[in-house]
């Protein structure tokens, strides 16, 4: 049982909340917030604490985080099949990375709450007509009309329902554990259809043998991998309405998802987002773009993790392929010297977005891989742990990013471009990335894959 927090924890309300939608009716917003405050939280403090424990292992260098999902989830794309597609892809990638890194992988979806978007401009102009920009299904609609683009607080209730539904599907999907052999078979299918199949075949073969050897040792099939839910905690009216105090421990948790992050545009030290995040006990992350300085990172640590609790704070860095090698070393060096046990994660998506000749927002697979490679190199040189990867992907065969094994080009983008916001990796591009990141763990792909790696990954997921 958890109770709602009182206004005493609402100090963040006195600060500026950047990117807050211009809700047209404060009274209507107030009704929605009261309604949300009476709802059950979507996640439990125990689940959030378990994720913090997992992330503490990442911070200590003994595990890897894989975080991925849509840039923006959509209310009208909630079929079980679509949700399963994303979860399966997350797990397929996790199996590859677990074996390559010879350690457990913590799998976290950008899922069940990723409905609000920060934007670089407040308006959008099409054919000379200017309207408010789309800010995520939690705020307004994608259609280019005055009615669609008007922020509507009732959408926050739909966000709650959609998140709850998605978490129900996620919990069903992961409850009995996933059959790692089935995931591996799907990875083998990818390898056989991939133009780079020969290159990936050796690693896929080693993963298959490691799985069989675990069976022989264990006598029972390995379980699946657990999946946690995360989203950007952008809409503080929504987040605060779902925040609850645990009556036994007195600690406060955002009830909207296991892990929340602060975006690169809302991480001002004196802003409302940092102030609100300081009041919750969930594992949290902050995105750091190229303007993020070591001094800012150190100040964020002091505000958000004064107790230096391993697993509490993750930095998701998104510098861009061309800048990561210049900007990351000083950041990592200074934070490491401070003794703060943060998790370092690479988001190779948001620093590498550009507009294709067709006008589609896109990203090059090679830039994405180059940024991850730079991230690994910087950590290797400093002797620190490249803790994880954060990507935008979908379980559908979309055409939003260019490159990858199938060499999608600009001319392919129009075929199936469905993202409401940023371009996502499709299934084959995500698996391509997983195999190539695996090679960063195992230079030359000749490293040994130990059966123990997958056993420990599986050990996290069985019935608990
Ligand atoms: C995002 O993750 O979709 C996003 C907007 O990222 P950032 O805050 O890093 O720009
Ligand atoms: Co995005």
């Amino acid at each position: 049982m958890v109770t709602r927090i009182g206004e005493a924890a609402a100090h963040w309300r006195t600060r500026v909340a950047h990117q807050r939608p211009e809700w047209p009716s404060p009274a209507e917003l107030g009704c929605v917030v009261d309604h949300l405050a009476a709802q059950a939280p979507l996640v439990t403090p125990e689940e959030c604490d378990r994720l913090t424990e997992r992330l503490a292992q990442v911070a200590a260098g003994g595990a890897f985080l894989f975080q991925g999902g849509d840039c923006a989830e959509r209310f009208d794309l909630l079929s079980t099949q679509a949700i399963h597609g994303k979860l399966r892809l997350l797990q397929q990638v996790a199996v590859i990375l677990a074996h390559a890194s010879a350690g457990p992988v913590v799998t976290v979806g950008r899922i069940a709450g990723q409905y609000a978007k920060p934007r670089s401009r407040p308006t959008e102009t099409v054919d000379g007509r200017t309207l408010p920009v789309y800010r995520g299904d939690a705020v307004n609609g994608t259609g280019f009309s005055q009615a669609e683009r008007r922020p509507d607080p009732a959408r926050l209730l739909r966000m709650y329902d959609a998140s709850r539904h998605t978490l129900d599907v996620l919990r069903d999907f992961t409850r009995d554990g996933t059959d790692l052999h089935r995931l591996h078979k799907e990875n083998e299918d990818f390898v056989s259809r991939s133009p780079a199949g020969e290159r990936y075949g050796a690693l896929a073969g080693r993963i298959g043998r490691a799985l069989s050897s675990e069976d022989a040792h264990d006598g029972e099939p390995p379980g699946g991998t657990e999946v946690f839910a995360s989203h950007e905690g952008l809409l503080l009216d929504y987040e605060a309405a779902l925040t609850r105090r645990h009556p036994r421990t007195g600690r406060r948790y955002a009830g909207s998802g296991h892990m929340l992050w602060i975006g690169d545009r809302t991480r001002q030290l004196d802003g409302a987002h940092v102030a609100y995040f300081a009041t919750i006990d969930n594992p949290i992350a902050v995105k750091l773009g190229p303007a993020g300085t070591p001094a800012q990172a150190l100040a964020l640590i002091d505000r958000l993790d004064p107790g230096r609790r391993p697993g509490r704070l993750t930095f998701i860095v998104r510098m861009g392929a061309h800048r990561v090698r210049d900007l990351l070393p000083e950041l990592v060096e200074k934070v490491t010297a401070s003794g703060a046990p943060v998790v370092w994660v690479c988001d190779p998506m948001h620093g590498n977005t550009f507009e294709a000749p067709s006008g589609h927002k896109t990203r090059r697979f090679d830039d994405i891989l180059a940024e991850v490679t730079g991230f690994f190199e910087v950590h290797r040189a400093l002797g620190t742990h490249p803790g994880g990867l954060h990507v935008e992907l979908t379980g559908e065969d979309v055409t939003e990013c260019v490159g990858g094994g199938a060499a999608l080009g600009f001319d392919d983008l129009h075929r199936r471009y469905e993202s409401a916001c940023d371009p996502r990796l499709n299934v084959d591009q995500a698996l391509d990335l997983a195999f190539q990141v695996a090679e960063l763990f195992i230079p030359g792909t000749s490293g040994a894959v130990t059966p123990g790696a997958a056993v420990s990954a599986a050990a996290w997921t069985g019935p608990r």
Side-chain angles (χ1 to χ4, degrees), residues 70-72 110 114 117 287 349-350 363 392 421-423:
D70 294 302
C71 179
R110 286 175 62 113
Q114 182 50 22
K117 299 309 303 171
K287 294 274 207 105
M349 312 298 287
H350 289 89
R363 291 158 175 158
E392 290 181 340
C421 197
D422 291 338

Side-chain angles (χ1 to χ4, degrees), residues 30 35 113 134 140 201 221 248 286 293 317 338 384 408 422 424 458 462:
H35 185 83
Y134 171 68
N140 57 5
R248 191 166 41 77
V286 183
T293 63
V317 286
S338 81
T384 47
L408 289 185
D422 291 338
R424 303 159 296 177

Side-chain angles (χ1 to χ4, degrees), residues 355-440:
E355 199 175 300
S358 56
H360 292 98
K361 246 201 225 184
T362 192
R363 291 158 175 158
R364 283 192 186 86
F365 180 89
D366 287 350
D367 291 343
I368 293 167
L369 182 61
E371 181 157 357
V372 187
T373 306
F375 175 84
F376 269 70
E377 281 173 15
V378 168
H379 281 285
R380 289 263 154 77
L382 294 172
T384 47
H385 181 47
L389 182 61
H390 177 119
V391 294
E392 290 181 340
L393 56 75
T394 175
E396 310 285 321
D397 192 18
V398 299
T399 56
E400 297 172 2
C401 293
V402 294
L408 289 185
F410 292 143
D411 293 345
D412 294 306
L413 294 178
H414 70 95
R415 281 200 287 116
R416 201 170 161 197
Y417 196 104
E418 294 173 4
S419 178
C421 197
D422 291 338
R424 303 159 296 177
L425 298 170
N426 63 25
V427 175
D428 282 10
Q429 288 169 327
L431 292 171
D432 249 318
L433 185 67
F435 274 100
Q436 298 206 29
V437 172
E439 292 175 3
L440 299 175

Side-chain angles (χ1 to χ4, degrees), residues 109-134:
R110 286 175 62 113
I111 201 165
Q114 182 50 22
Y115 288 106
K117 299 309 303 171
R119 302 309 304 258
S120 1
R121 276 181 290 275
T123 57
E124 181 183 0
T125 302
V126 174
D127 297 333
R129 188 160 170 239
T130 299
L131 288 175
V133 73
Y134 171 68

Side-chain angles (χ1 to χ4, degrees), residues 65-68 110 230 261 287 316 345-350 388-392:
L65 169 65
F66 179 58
Q67 188 174 19
R110 286 175 62 113
S230 72
W261 75 84
K287 294 274 207 105
I316 304 170
V345 170
C346 173
D347 165 359
M349 312 298 287
H350 289 89
L389 182 61
H390 177 119
V391 294
E392 290 181 340

